[in-house]
Structure formats: structure tokens, C-alpha cells
Amino acid sequence: MDWDDALDEHRSRYRERIIDAAIDLVAEQGAVKSSMSALAQRAGVGRATVYKYFPSIEHALLAHVEREVKECSRRLEAICEQTGDPLQRLRGYVDTQLDLFAGQRHRLSWSTIDQADLSAAALSSFREHVERLQAPLVEILRGGVTHGAFRPDIDPELHARIIIKVLGSLREDIILEKLSPATAAEAVWKLITGGLLAPVDSSR
């Protein structure tokens, strides 16, 4: 590993540490009572170091959201590279989203973000990050329509929003372990495929 790679790894490690500390701190004290000094202490770094990475605690929380969205996008890209089948891609999308909700990092952060009393600008940024997960689903649905796997009369953008809302409605139950990701995925899959699949031509 050369010097530049070592430096990048060092910076990434510090950034991750600060993000994780922000989640813990806000979960305990709330966003209003949390300070950058307290964040620095929780992360085990100097106050100047915290400001080097984030201008505010809000920015650190949003960085966590971006981190999760990137991880989810990475998994979805891997699924789409493995198969061109629209049904398998759609099932992969459902499984990936629900598995993400069950992850330890998401469990620790979901209520923190929801209750952080983010500013209007931060909420707008938060929505932009989350909406990035809609684009690949729209493409999956559009591809399914093109290849005849899904009904020709569906609206990929509208149905993508509906599917995402259905998945999001199960998040709390999965986090609280009232529902397993596998059980949730099977239920959602029956609901989705019951309405999206192209009818089978019985005359063939």
C-alpha cells in the first residue's frame, strides 16, 4: 500500500468513526443538545478533526444516510450484473431493502434519524439520498415491461414509489424483530407479483 492509499484509508476510518459517534450521541442526547465538542469526545478525536470532516452534526447524520444508500446501491448493482431476468432483479431489490432494515447499523440509527428534528435543508437532502434508491427500481420495472415479464399497463415510476412505500412500512416491524426479513419478503413478493406479472396466454 502506497502513501496515498494509506492516507485515504486513514481518512475513511476517521470519517466512519465520527459518523458512528454522531448516531450514538444523538440517540442519547437528541440533536438539539448534542454539540460538536461532545461529538469529538465521543469519537475520540480532536474538535478540529471533526470540523475537518463535517461542518455540523446534521451533516454527519446525513453522511450516514448516504452511506446506507451507497451500500444498498452497491448490492443492487451486483444483483443486476448477475442476472438480466426482470423477476430475479425485482426479487433481489425487495430482499436487499428488507435485509438492510434488519442490519445492526440500521437498527441503531433509524429512530435517531427520524427523531433528530432535522432542518428543512437537511430534510431535503435526506429525501434526495433516499430517492436515489427509486431510480434502479424504475429501471427494473421498465425493463420488465419491455421484455414482457410485467403488465404493459403499469407505470414504472408510480409503481416504484408504491413498492418503496410498502417496503418502508415494514421497516419498524423488522427492526423491532416482530417480523423477519424473509417472511416480509415473501409477503411483499406475493403482493407485487399478483399485480405486476403479465398474464399467461392460455391459448399457447
Side-chain angles (χ1 to χ4, degrees):
M1 180 182 297
D2 62 26
W3 171 252
D4 288 338
D5 289 340
L7 186 59
D8 287 343
E9 183 177 327
H10 173 79
R11 289 171 175 166
S12 177
R13 189 165 57 247
Y14 267 66
R15 188 175 188 274
E16 293 293 301
R17 184 192 301 179
I18 294 169
I19 293 173
D20 291 339
I23 293 294
D24 291 341
L25 184 66
V26 175
E28 289 182 10
Q29 301 182 8
V32 176
K33 294 182 179 180
S34 299
S35 67
M36 294 294 273
S37 295
L39 176 57
Q41 184 175 8
R42 178 63 62 94
V45 299
R47 191 164 177 266
T49 299
V50 173
Y51 276 107
K52 180 179 179 181
Y53 291 92
F54 303 108
S56 70
I57 289 178
E58 266 194 350
H59 284 82
L61 295 178
L62 290 174
H64 167 73
V65 176
E66 182 179 13
R67 180 173 65 179
E68 286 212 322
V69 168
K70 284 183 177 180
E71 172 60 20
C72 189
S73 297
R74 184 191 63 77
R75 295 186 194 180
L76 292 174
E77 287 175 4
I79 291 169
C80 289
E81 287 176 359
Q82 291 169 6
T83 178
D85 185 292
L87 274 177
Q88 291 183 23
R89 286 183 170 184
L90 180 57
R91 182 55 193 259
Y93 186 97
V94 170
D95 290 345
T96 296
Q97 284 281 61
L98 296 177
D99 284 343
L100 179 68
F101 295 159
Q104 181 65 15
R105 179 177 280 173
H106 192 82
R107 289 176 187 273
L108 292 174
S109 66
W110 75 280
S111 60
T112 301
I113 299 293
D114 286 347
Q115 300 172 24
D117 192 25
L118 299 176
S119 66
L123 283 172
S124 177
S125 180
F126 174 85
R127 284 191 289 268
E128 287 177 6
H129 285 316
V130 174
E131 285 172 1
R132 284 171 51 194
L133 294 177
Q134 182 175 315
L137 180 54
V138 171
E139 290 306 310
I140 290 171
L141 296 180
R142 186 172 288 132
V145 171
T146 300
H147 290 87
F150 302 146
R151 293 170 46 148
D153 58 343
I154 70 170
D155 181 333
E157 292 191 4
L158 174 59
H159 283 83
R161 289 200 300 272
I162 292 171
I163 291 171
I164 288 174
K165 287 186 179 296
V166 170
L167 295 174
S169 70
L170 299 173
R171 182 179 67 169
E172 183 173 354
D173 285 339
I174 291 174
I175 289 171
L176 297 178
E177 298 184 336
K178 294 180 179 179
L179 189 64
S180 73
T183 300
E186 284 301 319
V188 172
W189 189 241
K190 289 178 182 178
L191 184 66
I192 290 175
T193 55
L196 295 185
L197 291 187
V200 177
D201 187 351
S202 59
S203 65
R204 292 183 179 179

